[in-house]
Amino acid sequence: MTSICINAETLCRHNKGLEQLTYALHQISRNACQYEVKEIVILGNDKVEESKILTICAILQYFITPKYLIKEVFRNSINKLPNKVFKKCYKMPIIGKLKDYLQGTKDNREGISIIKNIKRRKRDDGKVIKMNKNEKSTKFIQIGEKEMIEINEDNGIPLGVRVSINIKDKKIVNGEDIWGYVGYNIRIAKDYTSIFTEAGGDGYEKGILVKVGINGNEKPRSDLSKSTGSRIIYCFGCNGKEMEELCDEIVVGYGNRVEDAIVSVLSVIT
């Protein structure tokens, strides 16, 4: 499956305010889902504030998270983000490709492992069951309902983990088996080299640099239609000699803004 890398500096330069940035990221998220992108890597550097990078990642995550899980998913990170960071996100339409996954079905729903409500549970004699403060796992899953789901697992699962649940059987299931594509993973790379060296699994077969915001008359040095493979990462807005040396191919002329170039490239390669 395809991966894409976005230079946070370039994206923020093109979209200076939170509202513009949110619209751009929704466009990126919508098209990434439409074309089943596996991973989005956010390239950060010293020129971009950490809060900006976290904002980009948070908004991208927001669009692939069921609304009933938003509070729990961002509970530990909301203080690191700008005030009202999701103000415009609330008004953006749901990603059509993920509609069933994000809303859940009668039998299956996305959830997150949680500690809430465990302290309030009572034994048969009416006494409250106290939770060990050092507890690292749980059997309770938040699925957007009044009551938590207590899964049928001997040892529970780590806290704060996103899982798909069969409500009837109270078992963890593979979301891709039920809904198919369920969104992209998000990773932060601190420099150009990290884009490739910190890739999971078997890494990438090929890296393709898509130049953004340059002279559109420059002739491509590669034909995108021939850029086939199962593990390719397309890097947007990462202009510069170092990146040219790290990537296998370079293309230009697909848009002057990161979000537009992503749409153009994804429509060509799929």
Side-chain angles (χ1 to χ4, degrees):
M1 296 179 74
T2 300
S3 296
I4 62 176
C5 175
I6 301 170
N7 188 339
E9 180 187 1
T10 306
L11 182 67
C12 291
R13 187 170 68 247
H14 292 168
N15 301 279
K16 298 186 181 299
L18 180 60
E19 182 174 357
Q20 282 189 338
L21 185 61
T22 300
Y23 283 124
L25 290 170
H26 186 266
Q27 179 179 329
I28 292 170
S29 180
R30 185 177 68 251
N31 284 276
C33 291
Q34 177 63 37
Y35 295 106
E36 299 191 356
V37 166
K38 177 182 180 180
E39 172 192 46
I40 299 180
V41 180
I42 304 301
L43 172 66
N45 55 41
D46 295 337
K47 296 181 181 179
V48 186
E49 297 176 5
E50 182 182 9
S51 61
K52 283 280 189 182
I53 297 171
L54 293 177
T55 295
I56 292 170
C57 293
I59 292 176
L60 285 172
Q61 184 65 56
Y62 178 98
F63 292 133
I64 60 170
T65 299
K67 290 191 175 180
Y68 57 83
L69 291 182
I70 293 294
K71 184 176 180 179
E72 284 301 326
V73 167
F74 295 100
R75 182 165 57 91
N76 294 325
S77 60
I78 197 66
N79 291 333
K80 300 178 183 179
L81 297 169
N83 189 33
K84 297 182 179 179
V85 64
F86 299 133
K87 180 179 179 180
K88 295 299 179 181
C89 294
Y90 293 121
K91 300 179 181 180
M92 303 305 292
I94 191 171
I95 303 295
K97 181 83 171 182
L98 301 182
K99 184 177 179 180
D100 292 340
Y101 167 70
L102 294 177
Q103 295 182 338
T105 61
K106 179 181 178 181
D107 297 323
N108 300 288
R109 190 176 287 236
E110 180 75 352
I112 185 170
S113 56
I114 193 172
I115 61 173
K116 189 179 288 185
N117 274 17
I118 294 180
K119 291 183 178 180
R120 295 199 295 270
R121 291 187 68 228
K122 295 183 179 181
R123 299 188 314 209
D124 293 339
D125 60 6
K127 292 185 178 181
V128 174
I129 300 175
K130 294 182 179 180
M131 192 187 87
N132 187 336
K133 292 182 180 180
N134 297 319
E135 189 67 55
K136 301 296 182 182
S137 64
T138 180
K139 293 185 179 183
F140 289 85
I141 310 297
Q142 164 69 279
I143 60 166
E145 300 289 347
K146 184 177 180 181
E147 299 293 333
M148 309 293 115
I149 291 287
E150 185 173 5
I151 56 175
N152 293 321
E153 298 284 343
D154 292 337
N155 300 316
I157 60 174
L159 295 169
V161 174
R162 288 271 293 273
V163 290
S164 297
I165 297 293
N166 180 284
I167 300 173
K168 182 179 178 181
D169 297 335
K170 297 183 179 180
K171 286 186 174 293
I172 296 174
V173 294
N174 187 331
E176 292 183 355
D177 291 341
I178 300 167
W179 295 290
Y181 178 76
V182 293
Y184 42 77
N185 295 318
I186 301 171
R187 175 168 66 88
I188 296 175
K190 64 181 182 299
D191 52 40
Y192 289 144
T193 304
S194 300
I195 296 172
F196 302 95
T197 59
E198 296 178 3
D202 298 324
Y204 309 116
E205 293 178 359
K206 186 186 297 184
I208 298 178
L209 173 59
V210 182
K211 287 193 172 182
V212 175
I214 61 172
N215 186 355
N217 295 323
E218 183 176 338
K219 293 182 179 180
R221 277 171 265 178
S222 175
D223 184 355
L224 264 183
S225 62
K226 297 179 181 178
S227 302
T228 59
S230 60
R231 299 191 311 278
I232 296 181
I233 183 166
Y234 297 85
C235 303
F236 296 87
C238 306
N239 304 341
K241 276 290 184 183
E242 182 181 355
M243 199 61 183
E244 291 182 11
E245 293 174 356
L246 288 170
C247 287
D248 302 285
E249 299 175 13
I250 303 170
V251 297
V252 298
Y254 283 89
N256 291 320
R257 299 171 66 89
V258 169
E259 58 270 30
D260 295 333
I262 290 174
V263 176
S264 298
V265 168
L266 290 178
S267 65
V268 169
I269 64 175
T270 55

